[in-house]
């Protein structure tokens, strides 16, 4: 009789386990499917992004070659195509080139808009800050001091790649506003900065001398011309981004930002 009860109890336990397994199986299968779908989704996105970057890299190289050969229209067409891609760094660089066309046509508003957008989409901080600085420089003669300070001061923070150029631009803004004391303070900082290039230090020292001699009016035009030179970027952004997938990128050019 005892064996019979044990057999019945074992059968009941077995039935309960089967019921639990049947209830849990759909959930377990759903979890496995969700993990699989997430993996496949990431793999698909990564492959798509890699293909986008490779295509943009080839188009950008072709655009630079066309521009170097004097085919400005051909280069512009390619840069326009890249600006619509999802390869963020090449997209931002292409928008910066397109902005130059707008400035050549005296369309400052359109050019600044492109630069601001390039700064937003750039994944590389060097490219993003180069676009921000170019945008501020384009507005030096037209924008109010408050707007220019709002654009330049963030670029002057420690660790930003163009902080010296941004401070030099801000000194010019102060000169234009008649704030010679504030401008002189900025030039002193530049002249003493270990991050400043020799050319920037020399300009700062000359500016201080001119301010002290009472020739600040002449200084404004000199500084404006000097800082209007755009920050240099490598001809091939692979110097910043690394070579495109599956390819060996060229070495950075001497003009690459540090």
């Amino acid at each position: 009789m005892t064996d019979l009860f044990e057999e019945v109890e074992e059968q009941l336990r077995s039935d309960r386990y089967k019921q639990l397994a049947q209830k849990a199986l759909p959930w377990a299968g759903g979890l496995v499917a969700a993990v699989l779908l997430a993996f496949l989704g990431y793999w698909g996105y990564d492959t798509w992004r890699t293909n986008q970057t490779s295509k943009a890299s080839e188009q950008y190289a072709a655009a630079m070659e066309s521009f170097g050969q004097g085919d400005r229209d051909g280069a512009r067409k390619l840069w326009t195509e890249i600006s619509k891609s999802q390869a963020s760094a090449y997209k931002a660089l292409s928008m910066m080139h397109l902005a130059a066309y707008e400035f050549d046509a005296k369309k400052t508003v359109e050019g600044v808009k492109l630069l601001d957008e390039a700064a937003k989409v750039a994944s590389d901080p060097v490219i993003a800050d180069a676009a921000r600085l170019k945008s501020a420089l384009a507005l030096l003669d037209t924008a109010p001091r408050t707007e220019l300070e709002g654009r330049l001061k963030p670029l002057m923070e420690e660790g930003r790649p163009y902080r010296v150029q941004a401070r030099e631009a801000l000194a010019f803004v102060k000169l234009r506003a008649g704030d010679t004391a504030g401008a002189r303070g900025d030039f002193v900082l530049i002249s003493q900065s270990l991050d400043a290039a020799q050319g920037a230090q020399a300009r700062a020292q000359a500016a201080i001398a001119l301010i002290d001699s009472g020739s600040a009016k002449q200084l404004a035009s000199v500084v404006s011309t000097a800082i209007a030179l755009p920050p240099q970027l490598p001809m091939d952004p692979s110097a910043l981004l690394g070579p495109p997938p599956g390819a060996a990128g060229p070495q950075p050019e001497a003009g690459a930002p540090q």
Side-chain angles (χ1 to χ4, degrees):
M1 181 67 69
T2 301
D3 292 341
L4 178 61
F5 284 129
E6 289 180 350
E7 184 177 349
V8 171
E9 185 178 358
E10 183 177 351
Q11 182 65 37
L12 290 173
R13 282 201 303 268
S14 176
D15 291 341
R16 283 199 298 270
Y17 291 149
K18 287 180 181 179
Q19 290 175 357
L20 289 173
Q22 289 173 350
K23 291 180 179 179
L25 186 60
W27 292 100
L31 179 62
V32 171
V35 172
L36 181 60
L37 286 173
F39 171 77
L40 292 175
Y42 175 79
W43 176 82
Y45 172 74
D46 188 61
T47 301
W48 173 80
R49 184 178 59 180
T50 299
N51 291 337
Q52 286 281 306
T53 301
S54 297
K55 180 181 178 181
S57 173
E58 294 173 0
Q59 288 181 311
Y60 188 88
M64 293 301 301
E65 183 177 358
S66 296
F67 190 84
Q69 294 174 352
D71 184 7
R72 290 173 55 86
D73 291 338
R76 186 174 190 174
K77 181 179 179 181
L78 285 168
W79 280 322
T80 299
E81 291 180 12
I82 302 170
S83 72
K84 300 174 183 177
S85 76
Q86 298 301 313
S88 61
Y90 290 101
K91 176 181 179 129
L93 286 168
S94 296
M95 295 175 80
M96 291 167 69
H97 285 294
L98 293 173
Y101 285 90
E102 300 296 343
F103 293 136
D104 286 344
K106 308 300 181 184
K107 296 181 179 179
T108 302
V109 174
E110 291 82 352
V112 167
K113 183 177 180 181
L114 280 168
L115 290 174
D116 288 343
E117 186 63 27
K120 290 179 182 178
V121 303
S123 58
D124 187 284
V126 175
I127 297 175
D129 273 10
R132 294 186 182 102
L133 181 58
K134 286 174 177 282
S135 180
L137 295 180
L139 294 170
L140 281 181
D141 292 327
T142 57
R145 177 176 176 175
T146 52
E147 179 181 347
L148 292 170
E149 287 179 340
R151 288 175 175 271
L152 292 169
K153 283 186 176 180
L155 301 179
M156 293 162 49
E157 295 173 357
E158 188 64 29
R160 303 296 283 264
Y162 297 112
R163 55 189 175 277
V164 174
Q165 293 93 328
R167 185 173 295 280
E168 195 171 9
L170 184 59
F172 168 74
V173 172
K174 292 177 180 178
L175 280 176
R176 289 287 300 270
D179 182 8
T180 54
R184 188 184 189 284
D186 285 324
F187 286 127
V188 169
L189 289 175
I190 294 171
S191 69
Q192 298 174 350
S193 174
L194 298 177
D195 296 326
Q198 290 183 351
Q201 289 179 332
R203 287 195 301 273
Q205 291 166 359
I208 294 169
L210 284 172
I211 290 175
D212 291 344
S213 69
S215 303
K217 290 184 178 180
Q218 295 179 4
L219 178 60
S221 61
V222 174
V223 175
S224 176
T225 301
I227 63 178
L229 298 174
Q232 291 182 328
L233 284 169
M235 293 291 285
D236 189 331
S238 63
L240 292 173
L241 313 174
Q251 295 298 314
E253 297 188 4
Q258 300 298 320

